[in-house]
Amino acid sequence: MSSEADAPPAEAAAEAEAETEAPAPRDELREGLLATLTEALGDAVVASEVAGGDLTVRVATDSWKRAVEVCRTRLHMDYFCFLSGLDWLPNPTLSGEKVWDTDDEAGKQGTDDEETTDIPTAVQSGVAGGDTRFQVFARLYDTRRHVGITLKADLDDNDPRVESITELYRGADWHERETWEMYGFDFAGHPSLRHIYLPGEFEGHPLRKDFPLLAREVKPWPGLVDVEPMPGEPEGEGEGAGTEGGDAG
Amino acid sequence: MTVTTDWQKSAYIGGQAADARINVELETEGMTLNLGPQHPATHGTLRIVVRLDGEQVVWAEPVCGYMHRGYEKLCEVRTYPQVTTLINRIDWLGHFANEVPFILAAEQLMGVEAPPRAQYIRTIFFELARQANLGLFLGDMGVQLGAITPVFFAFRDREYLLNLMEAATGGRFHPNFDRIGGIKEDLPKGWIDECKGAMKRQRAFCDEIEDLLMGNEIFQTRTRGIGVIPAAVGLEYGLSGANIRASGVDWDIRRDEDSPLAWKHADWKVWTHPDGDSFARYWVRLQEVRESTYIVEQLLDGLPAGSIQAKVPRIIKVPAGEAWMHTENPLGEMGYYVVSQGGLGPYRCKIRTPSFNNISILPWLLKGVYVPDVITILASLYFILGDIDR
C-alpha cells in the first residue's frame, strides 16, 4: 500500500499540468478517477455521474469504508470536507408540504414567464438519489489537483448502519457524531458516538423528515405568502406579492 | 485495516511521547478546567473542558451546541430567497460571504448566470466582508495575548467597511443582498470613491497592526512555535482557509476553482507560510486583508456596465437536482450541498461551515500544551461560534 501511495504524486502533478493547459480535460480527469474507483471496487459502485464539473459516486453500503479508503490512498483525496445524511421520505409532515401548496396558488395567479413545474408528490431519486429512505454522503477533495468527489451510500430504512471512516479521516469524528445525532445513523467502529449539539437527554433525530418542527406546527410561517418582486418589475402583481417581509430570522 | 503513513505514525508517536512526558515529569494531581462557555477567547459560547496536569493539558474536549439554531432544518421550510436571511447569520462577521455559495448553488441548479456587473459587485462585497471579518481577528488576537490597543484600531477601521456596506445594502451586519440571478440594487452614487478611500485606510490599518503587534517581542514569543499543525494532519481534519495556508498548503478556492465570481479578473496572490504555528496563521491573515484591498481596487476599476439582474421567474422554483458549491470564505471553505425536488424551497441543505472542521482539531492540537497557549491557539485558529453551531 505504501508503494501505491508513494508513486502517484508525480502522475498527479503531470495531470495537474495537463489541466492548466486546456480547460477541457477537466472532466477526463474526473472520468479517470471514476475509472480507478470502479476498477478498485468492482460491483460495489452502484451508480455514478460526472456532471457540472463534479463527480458523484454511489456505492454499496458494505463497501462504504472501502470506497473511502480507495479515495484516500489511490485517488489522493487528502482533504476531508464533510459527511452528512439525507432522508428521502417523500411526505414530510413539516410545512414543506404547505410550501408546495402555496407555490401552486401563486402559480395559478399567473406570471407568464414562469415555467410550470409539477408539484412533487413523490421524491425523485436517480444517480444522486437513493433506493432506500436514508443515505449517507461525504465529500472528499484533492488539494493539489483541485478535484472533489461526493460519495454516497444507501442505508437500510429500519437499521441505518454503516462503517465509520474515522480511521481514515480523523476529521470525520465530529461529522459522524452530528449525523448520528441528527439522523440516527449508527457508525460501526466510531470511538464514541455522543451528542455534539443537542443535550444528552434529547430524544429523536431532528433532521429526519418525520421529526416535527414544532414552531411551524403551532403557527404557520408568515413568510409563505411573501413573494418579493424582482427589480424593475412593477410591484403589486398578483396577490400577496410585493410585501417586504421574510426578515424574521 | 487502517492506512498508516509516515506522518500518521509520527503524529501517534508524538502524542504518546507527550503523554509519557507528562506522566514522568509531573506527579501532580489532575485537575479539570472549564474554559467557557463565556470565555472571551471563545468568541461566543463554546466550552472547552481541559484536563490539566500541573500547567500542562493532558486532554481537551470542546463542547459545542450552546448556540445551535438548526439552520439545516429551517432551510427546509423556507423558500430560496428567504434562506439568505438565515445564512447571513452563520458567520456574522463575514455576513455577505455566507450568502454567495448558496445563491451560486441555486443558480447552478436553475441554469441561471448573473450578469458580469452583478458578479463584480458580489465579489467586491465578498472581499469587504473578508476584510471586516479578518480585520477584527487582527485586533482581537492582540487582546487574547494581553494587548488591548489593537482591538480598538480594528473596530475603528472596521466601521468604514460597515458604513460602506450599509450605504449600499442598508444592512451593517446582515446585508441580505444577494439574489438568485444577480443582486438587489446597484451601487449608490459616489460609493466607488468612498470604497477606494476605505481600502487605503485598511492598508494603513494593516501597516499599523504590523508595526504595533507583529513586531512585538512578547507577541512573537507567545505565538512562534505554538500550536503547530502539520499540513497532512490539518487536511485530514478538514482545516481550510488561512489555517491550512499557514501550514504551507497552497490552496485557495478563489484562485484554484472555476467560479463565476470575478476573482479571475484581478491580479492577486495567495499567501502561504511554511511554519504552521499561531504566528503563521496571524501572518497569513494579515497578508490576506492587504491582498483583499488590492482585489477590491482592481475590481472597482474594471467594473463593467450593464444590468445587475438576470431574467428569472418572479416565483423562484429550482429544478430537481443536487448541487455542491463552495467558496473561500474569510474563515475557510464554506459550502452548501443543496438538494432540490423542484419546489420553492430546498429539500435538504447541508451547510458545510469552516469553523466546525477548524476546531475539530483541538483535542489533537491541545494535547501537551500549557494553559496560556490554549488561549493563543484558540485565538489563532479563529472561529466564529455561529459558524460552528449553525
Side-chain angles (χ1 to χ4, degrees):
Chain A
M1 174 153 311
S2 60
S3 65
E4 272 174 15
D6 289 342
E11 176 194 311
E15 266 174 298
E17 271 171 34
E19 186 197 328
T20 45
E21 277 165 24
R26 193 143 194 147
D27 273 324
E28 274 174 34
L29 170 69
R30 289 193 173 80
E31 272 153 25
L33 294 179
L34 180 59
T36 318
L37 197 65
T38 318
E39 184 212 340
L41 293 175
D43 289 343
V45 175
V46 180
S48 60
E49 188 180 45
V50 182
D54 207 356
L55 171 60
T56 310
V57 179
R58 190 147 65 95
V59 297
T61 317
D62 41 7
S63 306
W64 171 249
K65 192 177 169 187
R66 171 90 189 112
V68 174
E69 193 188 319
V70 172
C71 288
R72 177 134 176 79
T73 54
R74 294 191 56 184
L75 307 187
H76 312 291
M77 300 288 171
D78 50 356
Y79 174 75
F80 174 79
C81 185
F82 72 82
L83 179 143
S84 191
L86 267 166
D87 181 359
W88 291 108
L89 198 69
N91 186 16
T93 51
L94 298 172
S95 44
E97 223 174 35
K98 293 170 201 156
V99 172
W100 314 136
D101 287 343
T102 319
D103 173 25
D104 195 21
E105 284 162 28
K108 274 173 194 156
Q109 282 161 7
T111 43
D112 26 0
D113 55 345
E114 185 198 344
E115 50 178 295
T116 44
T117 325
D118 289 332
I119 301 145
T121 47
V123 166
Q124 307 150 9
S125 52
V127 168
D131 298 328
T132 56
R133 179 180 161 189
F134 294 120
Q135 200 169 45
V136 62
F137 68 115
R139 175 102 191 152
L140 307 171
Y141 191 83
D142 181 347
T143 50
R144 279 165 306 172
R145 283 182 291 176
H146 312 304
V147 57
I149 181 171
T150 308
L151 279 178
K152 293 186 160 203
D154 296 340
L155 303 186
D156 189 68
D157 286 9
N158 300 316
D159 180 26
R161 175 185 297 276
V162 72
E163 272 184 289
S164 166
I165 58 165
T166 43
E167 285 174 17
L168 300 161
Y169 292 98
R170 276 177 281 181
D173 182 348
W174 283 24
H175 288 260
E176 286 182 355
R177 275 171 68 189
E178 190 197 350
T179 312
W180 168 79
E181 157 178 87
M182 292 294 169
Y183 283 96
F185 298 171
D186 191 13
F187 292 92
H190 187 281
S192 67
L193 282 175
R194 286 169 293 135
H195 282 287
I196 187 160
Y197 284 143
L198 304 171
E201 61 272 17
F202 194 89
E203 284 178 25
H205 305 293
L207 277 179
R208 287 191 178 182
K209 295 282 179 194
D210 50 8
F211 189 92
L213 185 59
L214 276 177
R216 293 288 163 276
E217 302 285 314
V218 175
K219 190 166 172 269
W221 167 232
L224 278 182
V225 286
D226 168 58
V227 180
E228 195 180 321
M230 300 316 297
E233 194 179 350
E235 289 196 20
E237 210 180 79
E239 277 179 42
T243 47
E244 282 284 341
D247 274 334
Chain B
M1 74 152 262
T2 55
V3 184
T4 46
T5 51
D6 288 347
W7 57 263
Q8 260 183 333
K9 274 183 204 146
S10 59
Y12 177 75
I13 293 167
Q16 295 290 314
D19 285 354
R21 270 201 304 281
I22 290 164
N23 289 340
V24 172
E25 287 171 11
L26 298 160
E27 283 291 331
T28 48
E29 200 181 329
M31 170 190 166
T32 306
L33 178 73
N34 265 301
L35 198 72
Q38 295 288 2
H39 193 278
T42 60
H43 290 280
T45 45
L46 176 77
R47 176 176 153 222
I48 297 178
V49 186
V50 199
R51 196 158 294 157
L52 298 175
D53 190 350
E55 277 278 297
Q56 217 165 10
V57 177
V58 186
W59 171 92
E61 172 77 31
V63 181
C64 32
Y66 288 93
M67 222 170 129
H68 185 242
R69 294 156 292 176
Y71 278 178
E72 292 182 12
K73 186 85 170 175
L74 290 176
C75 284
E76 292 172 5
V77 294
R78 274 165 171 73
T79 64
Y80 283 92
Q82 288 168 349
V83 167
T84 52
T85 316
L86 277 183
I87 59 184
N88 252 304
R89 285 149 175 83
I90 291 177
D91 159 17
W92 47 70
L93 295 180
H95 37 54
F96 184 79
N98 297 319
E99 303 173 20
V100 174
F102 178 80
I103 293 291
L104 289 180
E107 283 180 355
Q108 191 188 38
L109 282 171
M110 291 177 75
V112 175
E113 187 149 333
R117 187 177 175 86
Q119 303 284 22
Y120 268 70
I121 296 175
R122 271 182 190 173
T123 319
I124 290 166
F125 283 140
F126 199 111
E127 291 303 322
L128 290 184
R130 181 186 313 280
Q131 291 166 28
N133 185 324
L134 296 184
L136 203 55
F137 163 79
L138 295 177
D140 183 72
M141 178 96 172
V143 171
Q144 312 294 349
L145 300 178
I148 304 293
T149 317
V151 81
F152 294 117
F153 288 178
F155 273 111
R156 180 197 68 197
D157 288 333
R158 178 164 168 264
E159 208 61 18
Y160 296 111
L161 298 172
L162 293 182
N163 287 345
L164 280 176
M165 217 66 186
E166 189 182 10
T169 69
R172 283 162 63 79
F173 292 122
H174 303 301
N176 197 13
F177 198 60
D178 211 356
R179 296 288 185 271
I180 290 174
I183 47 167
K184 187 164 176 284
E185 307 272 354
D186 210 333
L187 296 174
K189 203 177 166 200
W191 193 87
I192 292 178
D193 288 338
E194 289 280 320
C195 189
K196 282 184 175 165
M199 291 304 104
K200 286 205 184 74
R201 270 179 211 278
Q202 280 299 307
R203 278 201 293 277
F205 164 69
C206 288
D207 295 342
E208 209 167 23
I209 281 283
E210 206 164 28
D211 231 27
L212 186 71
L213 195 60
M214 223 158 70
N216 184 302
E217 202 182 322
I218 301 171
F219 181 82
Q220 296 242 356
T221 327
R222 288 205 54 191
T223 53
R224 290 245 190 216
I226 302 297
V228 178
I229 304 174
V233 177
L235 285 170
E236 201 192 346
Y237 274 104
L239 261 64
S240 50
N243 285 334
I244 200 71
R245 281 193 288 276
S247 295
V249 177
D250 190 13
W251 171 49
D252 192 317
I253 300 165
R254 289 178 286 171
R255 177 199 63 188
D256 295 332
E257 295 227 346
D258 190 25
S259 158
L261 265 68
W263 288 297
K264 51 184 177 277
H265 303 302
D267 183 24
W268 56 286
K269 179 172 162 39
V270 176
W271 293 89
T272 59
H273 198 288
D275 287 358
D277 56 9
S278 300
F279 180 81
R281 292 191 276 277
Y282 189 85
W283 186 88
V284 167
R285 289 203 179 90
L286 182 73
Q287 305 307 327
E288 259 171 38
V289 173
R290 207 175 259 154
E291 203 66 42
S292 173
T293 62
Y294 293 121
I295 298 178
V296 171
E297 281 179 350
Q298 288 176 51
L299 292 180
L300 285 172
D301 286 337
L303 195 65
S307 162
I308 54 155
Q309 178 73 44
K311 197 161 170 51
V312 290
R314 193 169 62 90
I315 295 165
I316 289 180
K317 278 198 273 191
V318 173
E322 300 182 21
W324 160 253
M325 193 55 88
H326 60 167
T327 48
E328 187 74 35
N329 277 42
L331 296 162
E333 181 201 18
M334 180 173 212
Y336 294 83
Y337 197 93
V338 179
V339 180
S340 174
Q341 291 290 343
L344 277 180
Y347 182 74
R348 166 89 171 97
C349 179
K350 163 69 192 168
I351 307 169
R352 193 270 182 206
T353 50
S355 294
F356 185 65
N357 279 50
N358 283 353
I359 68 153
S360 73
I361 199 173
L362 282 178
W364 181 86
L365 189 61
L366 291 184
K367 209 172 212 179
V369 305
Y370 293 97
V371 175
D373 296 343
V374 173
I375 307 299
T376 312
I377 291 170
L378 281 179
S380 75
L381 278 176
Y382 191 39
F383 50 86
I384 301 284
L385 245 293
D387 204 45
I388 299 170
D389 284 358
R390 302 195 290 281

